Amino acid sequence: MATIWADADGLHDDLAAPADLDAWLGSVGVQLNGVGATQEESLRARALRDSVRKLAAHVTGDQRPGAASPVTTVDDAARTVNAAASWRPIAQLRLDDARLVLGADAAASSVVAGLADVACEAQQLLSGDPSQLRACHAPGCVLYFTKTHPRREWCSVTCGNRARAARHYQLVRSARGAREHTER
């Protein structure tokens, strides 16, 4: 879900091209075995990401416009995640020198198998304790996070600092406005 993020320059997509998908899969520990993602696999990854974001928004009650997913319904999002989970290679019996061995289906690319693993992890996250998944409500943030500490309210220290600075600015501005109003 965190491959869509925002900063002062606007929204960014870390899965804009197949090479970006390769880099991201490598960063999360998926071995690509020297095979890069195709354009179709890149589109599948973005559809999976957008569907997971739609489901996360549903679970958290998130209505932030900047975090909105292009997936139109929760049912469509669930279907996409479930379909992606089904891409997992299925163990198959095969004959190897007159001996039966159990091996993964070689038909699925390592990219598709990695996306299937991501989809299965998303299923577990989204069907777990809904109070642990949160939308970060720091100004300008579009990320989700899992609440690992009772006092955690933001996705990162940076967002926490941004939220506190915005709150302080609002207090100072309100106090200044009240003071100017009473002086008139």
Side-chain angles (χ1 to χ4, degrees):
M1 289 184 286
T3 59
I4 291 281
W5 53 278
D7 65 8
D9 296 327
L11 281 175
H12 302 278
D13 185 350
D14 284 344
L15 298 180
D20 298 334
L21 176 58
D22 295 341
W24 181 79
L25 286 170
S27 74
V28 297
V30 174
Q31 299 295 321
L32 297 180
N33 304 325
V35 178
T38 66
Q39 185 65 32
E40 179 187 337
E41 291 167 336
S42 182
L43 292 172
R44 283 179 169 190
R46 286 197 301 273
L48 174 60
R49 186 261 326 270
D50 293 342
S51 294
V52 172
R53 288 183 62 82
K54 179 71 170 184
L55 295 171
H58 175 74
V59 167
T60 62
D62 183 17
Q63 296 179 1
R64 299 172 295 167
S69 168
V71 178
T72 54
T73 69
V74 172
D75 286 337
D76 288 344
R79 272 192 290 280
T80 299
V81 171
N82 290 335
S86 75
W87 301 336
R88 260 190 160 160
I90 299 170
Q92 304 275 326
L93 278 176
R94 61 181 161 73
L95 197 57
D96 187 12
D97 291 330
R99 196 179 125 218
L100 285 174
V101 291
L102 187 62
D105 179 12
S109 77
S110 53
V111 172
V112 170
L115 292 174
D117 290 341
V118 169
C120 290
E121 289 179 23
Q123 287 174 324
Q124 295 301 311
L125 172 68
L126 295 165
S127 65
D129 182 2
S131 68
Q132 295 306 304
L133 183 62
R134 300 286 176 95
C136 181
H137 289 288
C141 189
V142 296
L143 296 177
Y144 296 91
F145 65 97
T146 53
K147 188 169 176 136
T148 55
H149 187 277
R151 293 178 56 201
R152 184 173 180 186
E153 293 300 324
W154 301 283
C155 68
S156 67
V157 172
T158 302
C159 277
N161 288 341
R162 192 179 316 121
R164 284 187 287 278
R167 187 172 56 229
H168 174 74
Y169 175 77
Q170 192 63 21
L171 285 171
V172 168
R173 191 171 167 181
S174 295
R176 185 178 306 141
R179 189 173 48 247
E180 288 173 1
H181 181 70
T182 58
E183 290 174 357
R184 288 182 190 168

